[in-house]
Amino acid sequence: MIFTNSNFGRTLGLIEKGLQVSSLRSRVIGNNIANAETPNFKRTDINFEASLKKALDFEFVKDGLMKANKTEPGHFDYPTPLTWDKVQPRAVLDHLSTVKNNGNNVDIERETSEAVKNNMTYTMLAELARFQFNQINTVVK
């Protein structure tokens, strides 16, 4: 991306990642709904936002953290938290709940609600991307 090290590039990167996650979540919700009557089917959810928040929060505090110094070759490396651009969505199978007697845990009302919420998120992110590019067009003119 041309604007990689700018606020504009970061904003577009976050929007792009959000659109990708929303698209993936839409496919997962569709699969859950399609299998709502399949015996022993377990619904899948996408975890992403909490990991992204953790990565973004770390950006604000990392400058105030004490730096780890490895003084001996045998010392363990300190784990470095993910940056926002490296955070990936994670599909999680829900094995703990059961909604129906046949072992299936798809609640069609919940899935429909999640689909509507996800659709609104996708639309908002697409509008935000359009707004960002309109800002560039205004500057270029």
Side-chain angles (χ1 to χ4, degrees):
M1 181 178 284
I2 294 173
F3 303 102
T4 304
N5 293 327
S6 68
N7 284 336
F8 178 76
R10 181 173 187 255
T11 300
L12 277 184
L14 285 165
I15 292 170
E16 178 185 18
K17 190 166 279 291
L19 288 168
Q20 290 170 348
V21 169
S22 186
S23 180
L24 172 63
R25 186 170 279 135
S26 180
R27 289 191 304 273
V28 166
I29 291 169
N31 186 56
N32 289 344
I33 291 172
N35 286 288
E37 298 302 321
T38 304
N40 296 315
F41 179 84
K42 300 300 181 189
R43 69 179 298 278
T44 302
D45 200 5
I46 299 296
N47 286 354
F48 174 73
E49 288 78 5
S51 298
L52 179 63
K53 182 183 181 332
K54 191 174 177 181
L56 290 172
D57 287 347
F58 182 76
E59 285 184 10
F60 293 109
V61 298
K62 71 178 176 188
D63 294 333
L65 293 178
M66 200 165 57
K67 303 288 187 245
N69 189 12
K70 232 174 112 170
T71 56
E72 297 290 329
H75 287 171
F76 291 111
D77 286 327
Y78 290 92
T80 54
L82 287 176
T83 57
W84 70 266
D85 55 328
K86 301 290 189 246
V87 175
Q88 295 298 318
R90 191 169 55 99
V92 178
L93 209 54
D94 179 2
H95 287 288
L96 300 178
S97 65
T98 301
V99 175
K100 301 174 187 158
N101 289 336
N102 67 357
N104 187 308
N105 66 352
V106 176
D107 179 357
I108 201 74
E109 290 178 8
R110 176 183 176 184
E111 298 299 329
T112 304
S113 174
E114 289 295 319
V116 169
K117 184 173 104 176
N118 186 58
N119 193 10
M120 290 177 8
T121 299
Y122 188 91
T123 301
M124 184 265 315
L125 287 169
E127 282 297 311
L128 190 54
R130 186 184 63 77
F131 175 78
Q132 290 294 317
F133 284 113
N134 282 342
Q135 295 290 83
I136 290 294
N137 284 337
T138 300
V139 170
V140 170
K141 290 179 183 178

